[in-house]
């Protein structure tokens, strides 16, 4: 239910924005809009002045710097709060990789890294260790969208893969189809759920919550269509990797400092 | 619900998305396709020895067909929106084809049954009075013409329908296999062999169901079990069981031999968490034993008495029905026991008994098809009344001597 309410909230707010504009226009014609700014007072400053959001003018992408992630889990907790993610389900999560000896790899993600990570009780020292933030890759050729029988999963023109919670029948096919384990069936509402790239925020010019809350800047987010965007700059000039490239899903989530052990 | 598991699983992979209902769904559609195909062996290919099951197979196919979508409805998180599949289908999805394929196939089966039973319907309409008469008359669409010419035309259409029905049944079930075979995220499912495997095992289960149902119906109706019919069914069953099992093994052998990344997890799965249901039930109990039993029936025909053959066939068919169910389970549940990280497993899945997607409901849905068949049989009997029975007394007690005689005459024919 929470899920429905939340996403419903996005559309409601957008609807509010439009009616605010209509109302403001009417007031302007009446001749007292400017002086009193009733609409601005009622709906907030930018409700009136904000230009309409045009999704075709953007192409968003995530960029994670593995060397900077400290596994604190702030992002996971922030996402949970922002998007009402049910317990033990994850729109984003953190994995810890530890490599011992020749090639013994230990990976864990206790409660998705929600509460951070405990030190290894054995005290054994790893040869290398690192944290990998994971999230929906917002793939360009998405298996999840391809397989959704009712077209409830879709990809927006600005590169975000979303679920229409009012149309989803909760078949779970997309959960099977996602190679990255980014989707789950929400126990509240019984529909598919996943990272929305905080679409309700980014369409208002804000950054996704996890990016906002990351204390080290390991999570970055940018717009490939914005001239001079720093993330676009890095993607154009430096070595970056994606997860499971062999599946040709064309993820829009890139990694700096990738290790070969990462799955 | 917090899950845990062995190794490393993506945290969302600790929940299971598809349960018993998605095991039952391909099982029931398999029975639909399978029974139809056996029936067509008589209707299209004129295998006279299969005449005794020609009507049964059609009615069974319809019975299973009616209840095939029910497990899906129980599975959906939002069943009230199920018609979205037909209203706003996404044509790049295999699952979206369901509506169209199901509807087409339903029409074919219904038409064929109507044509096959038309004479009976008209007879009933003529013999009955009152509401029953009206009921049968409406079933006959108020067309009482059962002259020889019209029956001939009926027959021609039946042949054509059955001929269209075979590929339709193959599509109906092949597409279920495709639904799994096309999930590239899951290396255990993702193989072009999947639709073929599903199809052959569907036909296997359909024939096995005929062997079992036919014998039970004959026993309780007090009629003679036609030895030729059982013999022929056993022969086809043997063939398709061998085909199905070979293909199932071939898939595993290929993955194992290629030794790619996924084998680490699939191999561990098959010899560990799935050992009982895969090696024990699917391979030994469900494949090896019945294939040997059916081999005996087919290869040692002259040495078997009718009751012995019937019993062996019956047992082998029951085992094969379990095998196909186990195979569905191993594919659907087995494919979800490992994480897509290919590094870990979730805890074994244990369905509840009384929940919405539990074993109890699954069993009820499965049994509902048989209830439908019984009701159908009440209004339009699939077998003429005691045609071959000994006529006097309680037919159910068909004497041993009689069966011996039948066996002898069978032997005499070689
Ligand atoms: S990561 Fe998964 S959920 Fe996200 S777009 Fe790709 S396939 Fe779909
Ligand atoms: S669960 Fe919903 S979004 Fe996912 S495939 Fe089914 S209908 Fe589409």
């Amino acid at each position: 239910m929470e899920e429905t309410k939340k996403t419903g909230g996005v559309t409601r707010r957008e609807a509010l924005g439009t009616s605010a504009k209509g109302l403001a226009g009417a007031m302007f014609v009446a001749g007292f809009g400017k002086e009193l700014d009733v609409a601005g007072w009622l709906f907030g400053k930018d409700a009136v002045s904000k230009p309409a959001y045009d999704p075709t003018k953007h192409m968003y992408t995530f960029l994670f710097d593995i060397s900077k992630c400290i596994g604190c889990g702030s992002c996971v907790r922030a996402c949970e709060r922002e998007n009402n993610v049910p317990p033990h389900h994850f729109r984003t999560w953190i994995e810890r990789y530890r490599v011992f000896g020749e090639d013994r790899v230990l990976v864990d993600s206790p409660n998705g890294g929600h509460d951070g990570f405990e030190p290894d009780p054995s005290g054994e020292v790893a040869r290398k260790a690192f944290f990998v933030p994971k999230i929906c890759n917002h793939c360009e050729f998405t298996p999840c969208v391809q397989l959704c029988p009712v077209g409830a999963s879709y990809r927006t023109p600005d590169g975000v893969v979303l679920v229409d919670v009012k149309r989803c029948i909760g078949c779970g096919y997309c959960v099977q189809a996602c190679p990255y384990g980014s989707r789950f069936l929400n126990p509240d509402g019984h529909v598919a759920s996943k990272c929305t790239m905080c679409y309700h925020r980014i369409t208002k010019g804000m950054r996704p919550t996890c990016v906002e809350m990351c204390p080290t800047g390991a999570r970055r987010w940018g717009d490939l269509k914005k001239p001079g965007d720093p993330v676009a700059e890095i993607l154009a000039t430096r070595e970056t990797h994606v997860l499971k490239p062999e599946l040709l899903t064309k993820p829009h989530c890139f990694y700096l400092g990738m290790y070969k052990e990462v799955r | 619900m917090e899950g845990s598991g062995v190794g490393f699983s993506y945290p969302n992979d600790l929940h299971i998305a598809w349960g018993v209902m998605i095991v039952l769904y391909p099982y029931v559609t398999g029975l639909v396709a399978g029974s139809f195909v056996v029936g067509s062996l008589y209707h299209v290919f004129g295998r006279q020895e299969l005449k005794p099951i020609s009507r049964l197979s059609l009615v069974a196919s319809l019975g299973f067909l009616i209840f095939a979508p029910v497990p899906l409805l129980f599975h959906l998180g939002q069943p009230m929106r199920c018609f979205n599949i037909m209203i706003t289908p996404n044509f790049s999805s295999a699952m979206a084809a369901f509506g169209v394929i199901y509807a087409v196939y339903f029409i074919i089966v219904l038409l064929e049954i109507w044509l096959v039973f038309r004479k009976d319907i008209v007879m009933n309409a003529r013999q009955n009075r009152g509401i029953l008469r009206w009921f049968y008359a409406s079933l006959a669409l108020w067309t009482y013409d059962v002259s020889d010419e019209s029956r001939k035309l009926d027959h021609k259409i039946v042949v054509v329908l059955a001929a269209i029905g075979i590929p339709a049944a193959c599509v109906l079930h092949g597409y279920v296999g495709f639904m799994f075979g096309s999930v590239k995220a899951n290396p255990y499912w993702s193989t072009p062999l999947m639709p073929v495997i599903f199809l052959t095992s569907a036909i296997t289960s359909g024939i096995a169901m005929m062997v079992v149902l036919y014998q039970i119906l004959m026993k309780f109706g007090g009629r003679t079990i036609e030895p030729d019919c059982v013999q022929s069914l056993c022969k086809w069953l043997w063939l398709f069981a061998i085909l199905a099992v070979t293909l199932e093994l071939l898939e595993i052998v290929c993955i194992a031999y290629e030794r790619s990344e996924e084998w680490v997890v699939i191999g561990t799965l098959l010899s560990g968490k799935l050992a009982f249901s895969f090696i024990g039930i699917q391979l030994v109990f469900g494949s090896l034993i019945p294939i040997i039993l059916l081999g005996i029936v087919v290869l040692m025909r002259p040495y078997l008495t009718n009751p012995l053959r019937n019993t062996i066939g019956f047992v082998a068919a029951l085992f094969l029905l379990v095998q196909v169910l186990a195979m569905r389970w191993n594919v659907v549940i087995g494919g979800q026991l490992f994480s897509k990280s290919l590094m870990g497993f979730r805890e074994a899945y244990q369905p509840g008994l009384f929940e919405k997607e539990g074993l109890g409901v699954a069993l009820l849905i499965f049994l509902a098809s048989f209830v439908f068949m019984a009701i159908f049989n009440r209004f339009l009997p699939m077998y003429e009344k005691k045609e071959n029975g000994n006529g006097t007394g309680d037919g159910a007690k068909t004497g041993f001597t009689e069966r011996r005689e039948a066996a002898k005459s069978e032997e005499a024919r070689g």
Side-chain angles (χ1 to χ4, degrees), chain B residues 49-100:
Chain B
E49 68 274 15
L50 290 179
K51 185 156 187 238
I53 56 126
S54 64
R55 289 174 155 208
L56 171 64
S57 64
L58 280 178
V59 176
S61 194
L62 181 65
F64 292 124
L65 189 60
I66 290 175
F67 292 96
V70 179
L72 282 186
L73 289 182
F74 273 88
H75 161 72
L76 289 188
Q78 294 286 349
M80 302 301 278
R81 299 182 191 159
C82 64
F83 283 107
N84 282 3
I85 288 198
M86 296 189 194
I87 302 167
T88 57
N90 168 24
F91 288 110
S92 67
S93 167
M95 207 184 264
F98 175 78
V100 181

Side-chain angles (χ1 to χ4, degrees), chain B residues 6 268-277 337 345-348:
Chain B
V6 192
T268 321
L269 182 75
L270 294 180
S271 58
K273 277 182 192 292
L274 275 190
F276 175 70
S277 61
L337 285 184
F345 301 92
R346 53 163 77 81
E347 291 203 322

Side-chain angles (χ1 to χ4, degrees), chain A residues 148-150 152-153 163 168-174 183 185 192:
Chain A
C148 174
V150 298
S153 281
V163 181
C168 170
I169 56 175
C171 65
Y173 203 11
C174 57
R183 287 179 170 244
L185 284 173

Side-chain angles (χ1 to χ4, degrees), chain A residues 37-247:
Chain A
D37 193 19
V38 183
W41 174 73
L42 270 177
F43 303 110
K45 275 274 176 281
D46 50 22
V48 183
S49 53
K50 197 193 77 183
Y53 177 76
D54 183 356
T56 56
K57 297 241 158 65
H58 308 271
M59 181 50 72
Y60 299 117
T61 191
F62 277 118
L63 175 69
F64 297 147
D65 190 340
I66 291 181
S67 66
K68 282 191 183 158
C69 181
I70 55 170
C72 63
S74 303
C75 48
V76 183
R77 294 189 296 275
C79 173
E80 184 190 41
R81 277 195 305 274
E82 176 75 24
N83 299 303
N84 290 303
V85 182
H88 309 300
H89 295 75
F90 304 92
R91 289 185 176 200
T92 184
W93 67 96
I94 312 294
E95 296 168 1
R96 172 172 66 176
Y97 287 73
R98 283 167 297 165
V99 187
F100 301 94
E102 282 282 298
D103 60 350
R104 191 161 59 88
V105 186
L106 261 190
V107 193
D108 62 351
S109 181
N111 197 17
H114 179 277
D115 317 308
F117 292 80
E118 295 288 327
D120 191 341
S122 73
E124 200 182 343
V125 179
R127 181 154 59 79
K128 55 181 174 182
F130 48 90
F131 296 100
V132 182
K134 291 275 185 85
I135 203 163
C136 166
N137 290 258
H138 297 281
C139 314
E140 195 172 327
F141 301 121
T142 69
C144 56
V145 170
Q146 184 191 20
L147 290 175
C148 174
V150 298
S153 281
Y154 61 103
R155 189 166 184 268
T156 60
D158 39 1
V160 184
V161 177
L162 295 176
V163 181
D164 182 343
V165 291
K166 299 235 166 59
R167 194 184 294 182
C168 170
I169 56 175
C171 65
Y173 203 11
C174 57
V175 179
Q176 309 289 3
C178 173
Y180 306 100
S182 312
R183 287 179 170 244
F184 55 89
L185 284 173
N186 196 333
D188 314 317
H190 306 287
V191 289
S193 183
K194 64 180 288 299
C195 160
T196 57
M197 213 187 257
C198 285
Y199 205 64
H200 57 290
R201 291 171 58 92
I202 60 176
T203 47
K204 300 211 165 35
M206 293 182 268
R207 300 192 294 168
T209 310
C210 58
V211 176
E212 199 71 62
M213 296 307 278
C214 177
T216 65
R219 285 179 180 246
R220 303 179 71 174
W221 169 84
D223 182 352
L224 298 184
K225 286 192 181 164
K226 199 168 108 194
D229 185 275
V231 169
E233 191 67 26
I234 292 175
L235 290 182
T237 53
R238 288 181 54 187
E239 180 180 356
T240 52
H241 291 268
V242 294
L243 295 170
K244 303 194 179 181
E246 72 280 4
L247 293 179

